Every structure is written in structure tokens, then in C-alpha cells.
Amino acid sequence: MDLDEVADRLYALPPSEFTAAREAEARAAKDAGDVRLSRDIAKLRRPTVSAYAVNRLAREHPDALAELLDVGERLRAAWQEQDADALAELTQRRGDVTGKVGRLARRAGGLSAAAGTEVDQTLDAAVVDADAADQVRRGHLAKPLHYSGFAPAPIPRGRPATRRRKSADTEADTETGAAAAAAEAAKREETAARKARERQEAEAAHREWREALEVAEREHGERAEKVARLETKLAKARKRLADSQQRLEVTRREERHARQRLDR
């Protein structure tokens, strides 16, 4: 048994079943003598509803997801090659395939509007970023994904070769202005993405600690109730012991008096 095998089992479960199953897997690894694996399992985070929806897509609809990820790979390649025709075609296909896959995620039910938006953001991240695509394909997501860089987008057809050449100075000024605008846009996008990630991480941490609190409160209540029952039994036992002690003292006294009368 290794961590990937355990993660495959755990992240196939609904979030409501994850924590108890994770604790059972960690105990099993510890009982088997693999303390390191037990610690690694305990570190696996409970998935959000949206992350579980994407994990389920990877398991139940691998072909549809593979089609989307293939579009993403080809889209990134077209962007690298600055192929305007391919980008235009793939961008349209991307919208169609993303919509289809998103509907498959929602069809299972249990997704709020906010969770549905997180699913869409995760799928978009998988299209434009190879690392995100790998994470989605594995089906081990604990939280939704966001992309903070530039997303491939259609570029104007008819590059400068089909247009009248501008002067070198004008072209340079245009490129400089475009680069500055792009840098500013990237900075704003990165800031927004960072804040979104921090917010999601904080929400995920709060959910996990809230769940741990509920477990601790339930366990404390059960043990307190057990102690109360034991204390009630102990009080009754002490009373019976006191009654027995009293009878013992009376019996000893009467036996002693009877023996004294016998000895006269």
C-alpha cells in the first residue's frame, strides 16, 4: 500500500465520508508498522464540494475530461506558435467542450452556484495550465484550482506580414505600450488570483477545523455522558456498600452478644 493508492480511495469518497475514512486508513498504516505513510495519510485534506465534483469527473467521465484536456494542450501549442487560425478554432471548441464537461459535473447534483463556479474555474485552469491539467487528471483535488497567468486567447488574423509595414519607431512604441499594458494587466490578475487563493485556503482550513471541532465536541459529549452514567452507578454501589457495612456491624455486634450469653 502506498500514498497514491490510499489517495485514490479517499478522494473517490464524498466529502462527508472523507475524514472518518482518512483516520481509518491512517490507523491501518500505523498498525502495519508504516508510521511515515500514516503521517502522510493524516495530512491529506478533505476535499471541497467543487473539488470532489471534479475528482468524480475524472473517475466517471474520463473520456469527456480527456477531450477537454486535449483541447487545452493543443490550445497552448497554438498560442506558442502564434497560429491565429488554430487559436480561433480551438477557442470556440474549448467553450463547447468546457460547457459539456461542466454540465456533467452539475448533473450529479449537490452543487451550489458558488461550487459550480469553482468547478468552471478549475476546468479553465486545467485548459490553460499543464500542471493544473495533471492535477485534474489524477482526481486527487482537495480544493478548486485557479489560473493566475495569461490565458491563451485568439490573436488577430493577418499578422504584420499582411499589413503595410509601419515605421520602426512607431512599431517599437506600440510594442512598448502593449508590453506595459500587458504587464499591468498581469499584475492585477496575479493579485486577484492570489487573494482568491488565500481566501479559498482560509475557507478550507476553517472547514477542516470546524469539522475537527464537531468531532471533538461529539467525542467529549459521549465520554461525559459515559462518566455521568458510571458516577451514578458508583454512587449506587457506594450506597449498597454502606448498607452492607451497616448490616455487617450489626451482625458482628449481635454475634458477640450471643457468644457472651453462651459463655455465662
Side-chain angles (χ1 to χ4, degrees), residues 19-20 30 44 59 61 64 72 87 108 111 113 131 140 164 174 178 210 217 227 232 239 259:
T19 302
K30 187 175 182 181
L44 295 176
R59 290 171 172 81
H61 303 284
L87 274 171
L111 285 182
D131 289 340
H140 294 176
R164 189 177 60 182
T174 301
R210 183 178 60 193
E217 288 177 339
V227 168
T232 299
K239 185 177 185 306
R259 188 173 62 250

Side-chain angles (χ1 to χ4, degrees), residues 7 11 70 125 203 246:
Y11 286 108
D70 177 67
E203 289 176 349
Q246 185 177 9

Side-chain angles (χ1 to χ4, degrees), residues 39-77:
R39 286 198 297 262
D40 289 340
I41 293 172
K43 293 177 183 178
L44 295 176
R45 295 181 62 178
R46 178 177 181 265
T48 64
V49 172
S50 59
Y52 168 65
V54 177
N55 291 339
R56 186 163 56 183
L57 274 174
R59 290 171 172 81
E60 297 181 1
H61 303 284
D63 293 341
L65 185 60
E67 182 183 5
L68 178 65
L69 299 183
D70 177 67
V71 170
E73 185 175 351
R74 293 170 60 190
L75 191 64
R76 294 192 299 272

Side-chain angles (χ1 to χ4, degrees), residues 10-19 22 44-56 109-112 114-119 121-122 139-146 196-197 199-208 210-211:
L10 291 178
Y11 286 108
L13 298 172
S16 60
E17 300 176 16
F18 182 89
T19 302
R22 179 187 61 192
L44 295 176
R45 295 181 62 178
R46 178 177 181 265
T48 64
V49 172
S50 59
Y52 168 65
V54 177
N55 291 339
R56 186 163 56 183
L111 285 182
S112 64
T117 299
E118 290 177 345
V119 168
Q121 292 171 342
T122 300
H140 294 176
L141 293 180
K143 61 182 180 179
L145 302 178
H146 298 272
R197 286 196 305 271
R199 173 73 179 179
Q200 292 227 335
E201 289 172 358
E203 289 176 349
H206 177 256
R207 280 193 297 268
E208 188 159 344
R210 183 178 60 193
E211 179 182 291

Side-chain angles (χ1 to χ4, degrees), residues 17-238:
E17 300 176 16
F18 182 89
T19 302
R22 179 187 61 192
E23 293 174 355
E25 292 278 8
R27 283 196 301 271
K30 187 175 182 181
D31 292 343
D34 198 335
V35 177
R36 175 177 294 182
L37 177 59
S38 177
R39 286 198 297 262
D40 289 340
I41 293 172
K43 293 177 183 178
L44 295 176
R45 295 181 62 178
R46 178 177 181 265
T48 64
V49 172
S50 59
Y52 168 65
V54 177
N55 291 339
R56 186 163 56 183
L57 274 174
R59 290 171 172 81
E60 297 181 1
H61 303 284
D63 293 341
L65 185 60
E67 182 183 5
L68 178 65
L69 299 183
D70 177 67
V71 170
E73 185 175 351
R74 293 170 60 190
L75 191 64
R76 294 192 299 272
W79 177 255
Q80 289 292 329
E81 297 170 3
Q82 293 291 280
D83 187 336
D85 292 335
L87 274 171
E89 177 187 350
L90 289 167
T91 298
Q92 181 176 354
R93 189 176 173 206
R94 167 190 177 180
D96 295 340
V97 178
T98 300
K100 180 179 72 174
V101 176
R103 286 191 294 275
L104 289 174
R106 288 170 173 77
R107 190 177 299 167
L111 285 182
S112 64
T117 299
E118 290 177 345
V119 168
D120 292 339
Q121 292 171 342
T122 300
L123 296 177
D124 284 338
V127 167
V128 299
D129 182 72
D131 289 340
D134 287 340
Q135 293 181 57
V136 168
R137 188 180 290 108
R138 292 179 64 198
H140 294 176
L141 293 180
K143 61 182 180 179
L145 302 178
H146 298 272
Y147 183 68
S148 60
F150 285 114
I155 57 179
R157 285 185 174 85
R159 277 287 174 166
T162 64
R163 302 174 185 172
R164 189 177 60 182
R165 299 285 297 178
K166 296 181 179 180
S167 68
D169 290 343
T170 302
E171 201 169 294
D173 290 343
T174 301
E175 290 178 356
T176 300
E184 183 63 27
K187 184 177 180 180
R188 288 197 300 270
E189 188 175 350
E190 183 178 354
T191 299
R194 176 176 52 78
K195 289 182 178 179
R197 286 196 305 271
E198 290 174 352
R199 173 73 179 179
Q200 292 227 335
E201 289 172 358
E203 289 176 349
H206 177 256
R207 280 193 297 268
E208 188 159 344
W209 281 111
R210 183 178 60 193
E211 179 182 291
L213 175 61
E214 291 173 355
V215 171
E217 288 177 339
R218 184 168 61 251
E219 181 180 279
H220 178 269
E222 291 172 353
R223 292 184 176 178
E225 184 178 349
K226 184 176 181 180
V227 168
R229 289 197 302 268
L230 291 174
E231 287 178 341
T232 299
K233 290 182 179 179
L234 179 61
K236 292 179 179 179
R238 288 185 184 280

